[in-house]
Amino acid sequence: MRIAAVGRALPPHYYDQDTLLDALRRRWNDQYFNPERLERLHKNVLVGGRHLALPIEEYEGLDTWGKANNAWIRVAQEVGGEAVLDALRKADLETDDVDTIFFVSVTGIATPSIEARLINRIGLPTRIKRVPIFGLGCVAGAAGIARAADYVRAFPDQVAVLLSVELCSLTLQAEDLSIPNLIASGLFGDGAAAVAVVGEHRAEPGPRVVATRSIFYPDSERVMGWDISETGFQIVLSAGVPQVVRDFVRQDVDSFLADNGLTRHDIASWVCHPGGPKVLEAMQETLELPAGALDVTWNSLQTVGNLSSTSVLLVLADTMEQHRPAPGSYGIVMAMGPGFCSELVLLQW
């Protein structure tokens, strides 16, 4: 199994962090609210700017969950279709080459699901097998690669596409002044990414998926996720995520690599989800990574923010296109998310 290409599509509405902060100050100005705390939280996430699904002035009109979700359905098709076509173009594949499509998102819902709507929109084959997945959150980018690799392992002549669309700005809870919601309002951005994964019998180049592993941490449901109410998705975000990293990630990674005859010293590239500064610092520390090992991830966080499941795929795209690890070297794709859980993917470039 190989990753033939990663495509991307970001909405055209990009705003620097100061512009977004000013808009939130105005929105919350008439509520009992500490603007200094909001500014401090936004500065601490180290995000320089983010893409939004809509022009910033249109968010005031999203006064119901239905309106926000309708915007999600419309924009998800736009950026999702662009991302899939970008991945296929880079892999020198046609839409008719695609045998199955996995769709992951946690920021909106639709039936028919988004990948079904893309069949007409971009001309995917009507025989395509569809696997929409909801609820994995930030881990879904890495988990989606793993599930697509599982598929083409069974069907080595075929092509699977993973599509991730996350439009986090459309989940903003305007009446929620809790610390998790204030952090989310400064950390999360919008975008889409798609990965073309091909079976062993196909000739497309790209890093080989050597092995994958899923790890679930029992009794950790309140670490991260959503509470669903009349107003939509309300974030659950525990301050304990960095400690989970420190408690478990090193042993999980070491065990996974040992089962494949490797150690951390054999890993030349680390493709990690940019969960936030404290999470990345904990990861750097617990894995004893060399200086610069997470530079691509840090840069993604700074330039576009955390895009939930899409983020690790953007980091993978940047790694493949700009850094090009040495042929034969090993890499790890890693993300964590609701459950609470981890997903590890071992690549050989």
Side-chain angles (χ1 to χ4, degrees):
M1 306 83 66
R2 292 186 180 275
I3 295 174
V6 182
R8 70 182 90 201
L10 299 169
H13 320 293
Y14 185 83
Y15 301 93
D16 62 58
Q17 196 77 331
D18 287 338
T19 300
L20 296 170
L21 181 59
D22 287 343
L24 288 168
R25 282 200 197 99
R26 291 193 300 271
R27 185 161 192 170
W28 284 326
N29 190 51
D30 58 349
Q31 297 173 261
Y32 179 71
F33 164 64
N34 183 342
E36 289 77 21
R37 172 179 285 177
L38 178 68
E39 182 171 355
R40 184 173 69 253
L41 291 171
H42 275 229
K43 298 298 184 186
N44 287 346
V45 297
L46 303 182
V47 174
R50 288 168 286 157
H51 294 264
L52 300 187
L54 305 176
I56 199 167
E57 61 272 11
E58 293 186 16
Y59 283 82
E60 199 69 36
L62 301 179
D63 52 3
T64 68
W65 184 15
K67 291 179 182 178
N69 197 68
N70 284 341
W72 179 86
I73 292 171
R74 175 174 58 82
V75 179
Q77 292 178 78
E78 294 171 359
V79 295
E82 290 175 21
V84 170
L85 292 176
D86 188 42
L88 295 178
R89 178 185 58 80
K90 290 175 178 175
D92 198 23
L93 294 167
E94 304 295 331
T95 53
D96 196 57
D97 293 319
V98 181
D99 298 288
T100 191
I101 184 167
F102 295 80
F103 174 68
V104 297
S105 184
V106 76
T107 51
I109 54 175
T111 304
S113 45
I114 297 301
E115 85 292 341
R117 297 167 190 244
L118 291 182
I119 293 175
N120 289 327
R121 187 182 183 96
I122 65 173
L124 292 168
T126 56
R127 59 175 166 75
I128 195 169
K129 294 182 279 288
R130 301 185 292 113
V131 187
I133 300 172
F134 178 86
L136 287 178
C138 296
V139 79
I145 291 174
R147 300 294 79 78
D150 290 342
Y151 177 86
V152 297
R153 181 182 291 110
F155 300 99
D157 294 315
Q158 295 194 12
V159 174
V161 168
L162 164 68
L163 170 61
S164 163
V165 178
E166 302 288 12
L167 305 176
C168 305
S169 68
L170 297 175
T171 69
L172 179 69
Q173 295 292 301
E175 304 303 317
D176 180 7
L177 297 181
S178 68
I179 294 297
N181 193 55
L182 296 184
I183 292 173
S185 74
L187 177 62
F188 290 97
D190 299 348
V195 184
V197 181
V198 300
E200 290 286 0
H201 293 176
R202 298 189 62 92
E204 286 81 7
R208 184 168 65 95
V209 178
V210 178
T212 68
R213 178 161 297 177
S214 304
I215 305 109
F216 184 87
Y217 306 117
D219 304 317
S220 59
E221 289 91 344
R222 298 302 293 178
V223 171
M224 180 182 290
W226 295 120
D227 285 332
I228 311 299
S229 73
E230 294 81 358
T231 60
F233 298 110
Q234 186 169 16
I235 188 121
V236 174
L237 184 61
S238 167
V241 176
Q243 191 58 48
V244 175
V245 173
R246 291 188 170 91
D247 289 344
F248 297 106
V249 165
R250 179 170 175 166
Q251 66 192 44
D252 292 339
V253 169
D254 285 350
S255 174
F256 177 53
L257 292 176
D259 287 347
N260 289 278
L262 301 169
T263 71
R264 275 177 279 133
H265 297 295
D266 296 307
I267 304 303
S269 53
W270 295 87
V271 178
C272 298
H273 169 70
K278 291 183 179 179
V279 173
L280 291 180
E281 289 166 1
M283 200 167 289
Q284 182 95 29
E285 173 189 318
T286 195
L287 292 175
E288 300 177 328
L289 299 181
L294 297 182
D295 280 358
V296 181
T297 294
W298 279 107
N299 182 68
S300 184
L301 177 67
Q302 196 277 326
T303 54
V304 296
N306 180 341
L307 279 67
S308 190
S309 68
T310 302
S311 270
V312 74
L313 305 181
L314 297 181
V315 176
L316 177 60
D318 289 341
T319 302
M320 290 176 66
E321 295 166 11
Q322 300 172 21
H323 297 272
R324 299 184 180 180
S329 66
Y330 289 95
I332 286 281
V333 179
M334 178 167 52
M336 306 179 81
F340 195 67
C341 62
S342 296
E343 195 80 29
L344 306 174
V345 180
L346 178 63
L347 302 179
Q348 187 172 31
W349 298 96

